[in-house]
Amino acid sequence: AYVYGRYEYFSSMPTVIAIQENDNVFLYDYTLKKVISDNYKQLQNIKSEGDTVLFIVTTELGTVGLMNIAGELVVPTDYEGLGYSISGGDVSDYDYKKDIITAKKNGYWGAINFKGEEIIPFEYEDIYYNGYNGIVVCVEGYWYLHNLNNNRLIEDGFDIMIPIKSYV
């Protein structure tokens, strides 16, 4: 067994570490001297103000959910994707303060809050959250800008629409 990830993953709870053993990753509280989570294939951290607040956990079947730093699932592992994971393992397309993360279920993208409640319906081919007050959605190959209430802000669809920080 060996320690998994980087120290900064656990700065909000310094007694908890992730350990990888064979093909499993789990949280271990070394003050309590016990495993505090189920086994997962992967952990990816969700941060707010520099501290890890949640993990995207991946099951053996490839489904994902959200686990808190205490090892408890706060969103069941019913999703095909959460956030947008770039090659470096970092997760974007979420805002912990605004309580939103993009999610994929039954082949379609939408958005949920950090309790698993639907915010944007699961009806889009693809989705990007720009971290501001808008969300970019793909419908029949065209991209549209919506607000967080899922109202279309620009009626015309575009071949490409890329969120860049606070602007599109």
Side-chain angles (χ1 to χ4, degrees):
Y2 64 94
V3 176
Y4 175 87
R6 301 173 296 214
Y7 171 75
E8 64 266 21
Y9 277 19
F10 310 101
S11 57
S12 61
M13 188 175 239
T15 66
V16 174
I17 58 174
I19 296 178
Q20 182 169 357
E21 189 170 60
N22 301 318
D23 288 336
N24 296 307
V25 182
F26 54 88
L27 293 183
Y28 181 85
D29 188 316
Y30 58 84
T31 300
L32 299 176
K33 297 185 181 351
K34 69 176 190 172
V35 174
I36 60 170
S37 75
D38 290 338
N39 290 328
Y40 297 100
K41 293 298 161 198
Q42 186 175 10
L43 301 177
Q44 294 175 289
N45 67 321
I46 299 285
K47 289 185 161 197
S48 182
E49 297 179 0
D51 285 339
T52 295
V53 289
L54 294 172
F55 294 96
I56 295 176
V57 295
T58 305
T59 68
E60 191 171 295
L61 299 173
T63 58
V64 294
L66 291 172
M67 176 179 68
N68 65 20
I69 198 82
E72 306 160 330
L73 271 183
V74 295
V75 172
T77 54
D78 295 339
Y79 297 92
E80 298 156 30
L82 284 171
Y84 175 75
S85 178
I86 56 178
S87 60
D90 294 329
V91 178
S92 60
D93 281 12
Y94 75 90
D95 188 324
Y96 191 73
K97 287 183 179 180
K98 289 185 181 175
D99 199 19
I100 184 171
I101 185 169
T102 58
K104 185 177 185 181
K105 193 170 189 174
N106 299 322
Y108 291 95
W109 285 93
I112 60 173
N113 64 20
F114 288 99
K115 295 176 193 152
E117 299 164 334
E118 184 178 292
I119 296 173
I120 304 289
F122 294 94
E123 59 188 24
Y124 299 107
E125 297 161 29
D126 207 344
I127 195 168
Y128 294 105
Y129 174 62
N130 71 359
Y132 190 58
N133 291 317
I135 200 152
V136 179
V137 299
C138 185
V139 178
E140 298 179 2
Y142 291 100
W143 291 91
Y144 299 88
L145 178 63
H146 286 210
N147 64 19
L148 297 182
N149 293 321
N150 201 34
N151 298 317
R152 192 170 287 174
L153 299 176
I154 300 174
E155 286 302 316
D156 293 333
F158 296 89
D159 294 331
I160 298 172
M161 189 179 286
I162 302 170
I164 302 172
K165 294 193 179 186
S166 297
Y167 304 97
V168 176

